[in-house]
Amino acid sequence: MGESDVKVLGMWPSPFVMRARIALNLKSVDYEFLQETFGSKSELLLQSNPVHKKVPVLIHGGKPVCESLIIVEYIDEVWASGPSILPSDPYDRATARFWAAYISEKWYPSMKGIGFAQGEEAKKAAIEQVTEGLALLEEAFEKSSKGNVFFGGDEIGYLDIAFGCFLGWLRVNEKLHGIKLLDQTKTPGLVKWADKFCAHAAVKDVMPETDKLVEIAKILAAKARAAAAPPPSN
Ligand SMILES: N[C@@H](CCC(=O)N[C@@H](CS)C(=O)NCC(=O)O)C(=O)O
């Protein structure tokens, strides 16, 4: 089964899709990037991920693998001769999976919540929640990196990918709401890590420019407003 059998169903602004693409880049695996059209779902996506109907889907040798973190683990196992993504030590591996789940299930939804907060008080509370999460992640970074540049040590690993994929959207929030989430005094480790992560060869071509993401954020916000608006009276 050759590398040309590798396809990623996705959309360029999606942080979850980025996880799969960064993992493939780290392993130097060539892949075809099949982009979904915004607002509709292709037949291939519906067939490949009938349960969640979400991107990313990795299609390897005609077989679909769904859910971004599962895809990253699959890539690590299949292309085992490339640089390791998951830590080799079982405890470090468990810890990386714990934080990856926290980021995906708690921290990222709370960051998304900043944009949806109704009123200044709610927005302030959402920002506080995100900032508290970042303080926890700064601590996790200190422990996990053991003085190196990345969570995974001197190379990008599982947790770097799981968290780093959200940096573009973090910057969108900073820009749209005039706030500083990654801060030199409160999260100095993460500030340095974020720069190194985004500049990495496996990341820099898949991490979208903040301004392009801002445009997408505005379109999504307009759609959400339209969906919430009452129907016209006639
Ligand atoms: N838990 C999933 C989340 C994937 C996800 O939310 N993908 C979004 C794009 S960022 C999607 O496909 N949304 C389409 C939809 O919800 O219908 C993963 O980690 O892969």
Side-chain angles (χ1 to χ4, degrees):
M1 201 150 46
E3 286 176 3
S4 56
D5 288 322
V6 182
K7 296 181 174 69
V8 175
L9 295 189
M11 287 185 286
W12 65 265
S14 163
F16 300 103
V17 172
M18 219 178 296
R19 286 174 170 171
R21 298 178 74 199
I22 293 169
L24 289 169
N25 286 349
L26 276 177
K27 299 280 188 177
S28 304
V29 176
D30 287 331
Y31 64 93
E32 201 180 335
F33 187 34
L34 301 176
Q35 296 228 52
E36 288 292 306
T37 310
F38 194 62
S40 69
K41 291 176 201 276
S42 71
E43 209 34 56
L44 183 58
L45 173 61
L46 296 174
Q47 274 169 19
S48 308
N49 189 357
V51 175
H52 298 299
K53 305 176 180 68
K54 289 187 179 190
V55 291
V57 179
L58 177 82
I59 304 180
H60 183 208
K63 291 190 287 189
V65 183
C66 303
E67 287 293 308
S68 60
L69 291 176
I70 294 173
I71 293 171
V72 171
E73 296 210 18
Y74 176 83
I75 291 168
D76 199 27
E77 286 180 24
V78 170
W79 289 278
S81 59
S84 288
I85 293 177
L86 277 131
S88 56
D89 176 77
Y91 185 77
D92 290 347
R93 212 157 50 233
T95 306
R97 286 183 175 129
F98 169 83
W99 285 113
Y102 168 77
I103 289 160
S104 307
E105 291 158 25
K106 290 263 184 204
W107 181 80
Y108 176 60
S110 71
M111 186 169 74
K112 262 172 93 174
I114 297 176
F116 291 108
Q118 300 287 323
E120 280 312 302
E121 275 308 301
K123 189 167 150 187
K124 211 171 130 205
I127 294 168
E128 238 167 66
Q129 218 180 349
V130 175
T131 310
E132 279 166 19
L134 288 172
L136 293 175
L137 288 164
E138 172 77 14
E139 226 178 287
F141 176 76
E142 272 168 37
K143 285 189 190 145
S144 172
S145 64
K146 303 180 178 96
N148 288 294
V149 195
F150 296 112
F151 280 91
D154 55 8
E155 247 313 327
I156 283 184
Y158 184 71
L159 192 45
D160 295 285
I161 298 173
F163 185 22
C165 68
F166 294 117
L167 286 170
W169 285 102
L170 180 143
R171 288 172 178 158
V172 168
N173 274 284
E174 289 187 326
K175 201 159 181 172
L176 285 180
H177 305 291
I179 51 175
K180 202 93 193 97
L181 293 173
L182 285 187
D183 175 83
Q184 191 56 50
T185 48
K186 291 189 190 139
T187 55
L190 292 182
V191 168
K192 213 161 139 195
W193 162 79
D195 286 344
K196 292 272 181 202
F197 180 81
C198 292
H200 192 281
V203 177
K204 64 180 182 354
D205 294 335
V206 298
M207 179 65 71
E209 286 166 28
T210 307
D211 286 346
K212 285 193 180 162
L213 288 178
V214 165
E215 288 312 307
I216 299 290
K218 285 179 181 165
I219 294 169
L220 291 174
K223 273 184 177 254
R225 273 196 305 276
S233 52
N234 58 347

